[in-house]
Amino acid sequence: MFSLLKTRSKARKPAPPEMRTLDVAGRLMPLTIKQHDRATRITLRIEPGGRALKMTVPKGLAAREVNAFLDRHQGWLLTKLAKFSTDAGLRAGGEILLRGVSHRIQHSGSLRGLTEAVSVDGRPVLRVSGMPEHVGRRIAAFLKKEARADLARLATMHAATIRAPIRSISMKDTRSRWGSCSSEGNLSFSWRIVMAPPSVIDYLAAHEVAHLKEMNHGPHFWALCRKLCPGMEEAKSWLKRHGSQLHAIDFD
């Protein structure tokens, strides 16, 4: 008697992503190309903030097909990337949003002192001290401080409403999400949200606090989120329209 022995083929590791730099009308963009077993077509998307591109292709697709796709979509990329301006005007005379209100940036002329939001002749002004070349960094530090104050207050208020304890609150500069909540009750937020209107900041706080009770995005979660923030839909819409512009600002 003979037995037919089948040899098991070793599971192949997925091919590592290919990293490129794509020239889009003189704008050099990091491009990640990832092969996917189940992909049936090429997909190309712009990462949050408009600083990088991600491409998913069917496994084994020829390089010429990838290159041809990129060539055909140069116009589309150029149009989409136009709204992501890395020049945010982070200098004296420029503008920056704080809680949805545009503030004119004014250098105090002093190397020391606090960054502060003031009113000059009835116009909102963000007065910044320090070296002129460090204006962006000083503004970022100010926004982080303001975001922490707003989100700590709002999150604490919403948590008290649903009687859920918060273990910690931290500020981050994430590009893939605006906030997160761990099963241990640790909340984290992107400090860039403080540039959005107050109603949007409130929605983000309510969203993450709702996860303290519902660690999902099911119907019960959205019902709780809406209870904490009745203006949820309008805030979500604002973030969808303008969130990428906030991510695109380079403070370095």
Coordinates of all heavy atoms in Angstrom, one line a residue, residues 34-43 55-61:
K34 N 1.5 48.9 -1.1 CA 1.3 47.6 -0.3 C 0.5 46.6 -1.2 O -0.6 46.9 -1.7 CB 0.6 47.8 1.0 CG 0.5 46.6 1.9 CD -0.1 46.9 3.2 CE -0.2 45.7 4.1 NZ -0.8 46.0 5.4
Q35 N 1.0 45.4 -1.4 CA 0.3 44.3 -2.1 C -0.7 43.7 -1.1 O -0.3 43.4 0.0 CB 1.3 43.3 -2.7 CG 2.2 43.9 -3.7 CD 3.0 42.7 -4.4 OE1 2.7 41.6 -4.4 NE2 4.2 43.1 -4.9
H36 N -1.8 43.3 -1.6 CA -2.9 42.7 -0.8 C -3.5 41.5 -1.6 O -3.9 41.6 -2.7 CB -3.9 43.7 -0.4 CG -4.8 43.3 0.8 ND1 -5.7 42.2 0.7 CD2 -4.8 43.7 2.0 CE1 -6.3 42.0 1.8 NE2 -5.8 42.9 2.7
D37 N -3.5 40.4 -0.9 CA -4.0 39.1 -1.5 C -5.4 39.3 -2.1 O -5.8 38.7 -3.1 CB -4.0 38.0 -0.6 CG -2.5 37.5 -0.2 OD1 -1.7 37.8 -1.1 OD2 -2.3 36.9 0.8
R38 N -6.3 40.0 -1.4 CA -7.7 40.1 -1.7 C -8.0 41.3 -2.6 O -9.1 41.5 -3.0 CB -8.5 40.1 -0.5 CG -8.4 38.9 0.3 CD -9.4 38.9 1.5 NE -9.3 37.7 2.3 CZ -10.0 37.4 3.4 NH1 -10.9 38.4 3.8 NH2 -9.9 36.3 4.1
A39 N -7.0 42.2 -2.8 CA -7.3 43.4 -3.7 C -7.5 43.0 -5.1 O -6.8 42.1 -5.7 CB -6.1 44.3 -3.6
T40 N -8.5 43.5 -5.7 CA -8.9 43.3 -7.1 C -8.6 44.5 -8.0 O -8.8 44.4 -9.2 CB -10.3 42.9 -7.2 OG1 -11.2 43.9 -6.7 CG2 -10.6 41.5 -6.5
R41 N -8.3 45.6 -7.3 CA -8.1 46.8 -8.1 C -7.1 47.7 -7.3 O -6.8 47.4 -6.1 CB -9.3 47.6 -8.3 CG -10.1 48.0 -7.1 CD -11.4 48.6 -7.4 NE -12.2 49.0 -6.2 CZ -12.1 50.2 -5.6 NH1 -11.4 51.1 -6.2 NH2 -12.8 50.5 -4.5
I42 N -6.6 48.7 -8.0 CA -5.6 49.6 -7.3 C -6.4 50.7 -6.6 O -7.4 51.3 -7.1 CB -4.7 50.3 -8.4 CG1 -3.9 49.2 -9.1 CG2 -3.7 51.3 -7.7 CD1 -3.1 49.8 -10.3
T43 N -6.0 51.0 -5.4 CA -6.6 52.1 -4.6 C -5.5 53.1 -4.2 O -4.4 52.6 -3.8 CB -7.4 51.7 -3.4 OG1 -6.5 50.9 -2.5 CG2 -8.6 50.8 -3.8
M55 N -0.9 53.4 -1.3 CA -1.4 52.7 -2.4 C -1.6 51.2 -2.1 O -0.6 50.6 -1.6 CB -0.5 52.9 -3.6 CG -1.0 52.6 -5.0 SD 0.2 53.0 -6.2 CE -0.8 52.8 -7.7
T56 N -2.7 50.6 -2.4 CA -2.9 49.2 -2.3 C -3.1 48.6 -3.7 O -3.9 49.1 -4.4 CB -4.1 48.9 -1.4 OG1 -3.9 49.5 -0.1 CG2 -4.3 47.4 -1.2
V57 N -2.4 47.5 -4.0 CA -2.4 46.9 -5.3 C -2.7 45.4 -5.2 O -2.3 44.8 -4.2 CB -1.2 47.2 -6.1 CG1 -0.9 48.7 -6.2 CG2 0.0 46.5 -5.5
P58 N -3.2 44.8 -6.2 CA -3.4 43.3 -6.2 C -2.0 42.7 -6.1 O -1.0 43.2 -6.7 CB -4.1 43.0 -7.5 CG -4.8 44.3 -7.9 CD -3.9 45.4 -7.4
K59 N -1.9 41.5 -5.5 CA -0.7 40.8 -5.4 C -0.1 40.5 -6.7 O -0.8 39.9 -7.6 CB -0.9 39.6 -4.5 CG 0.4 38.8 -4.2 CD 0.2 37.7 -3.3 CE 1.4 36.9 -2.9 NZ 1.2 35.8 -2.0
G60 N 1.2 40.7 -6.9 CA 1.9 40.4 -8.2 C 1.7 41.3 -9.3 O 2.1 41.1 -10.4
L61 N 1.0 42.5 -9.1 CA 0.8 43.4 -10.2 C 2.1 44.0 -10.7 O 3.0 44.3 -9.9 CB -0.1 44.6 -9.7 CG -0.6 45.6 -10.7 CD1 -1.6 44.9 -11.6 CD2 -1.2 46.8 -10.1

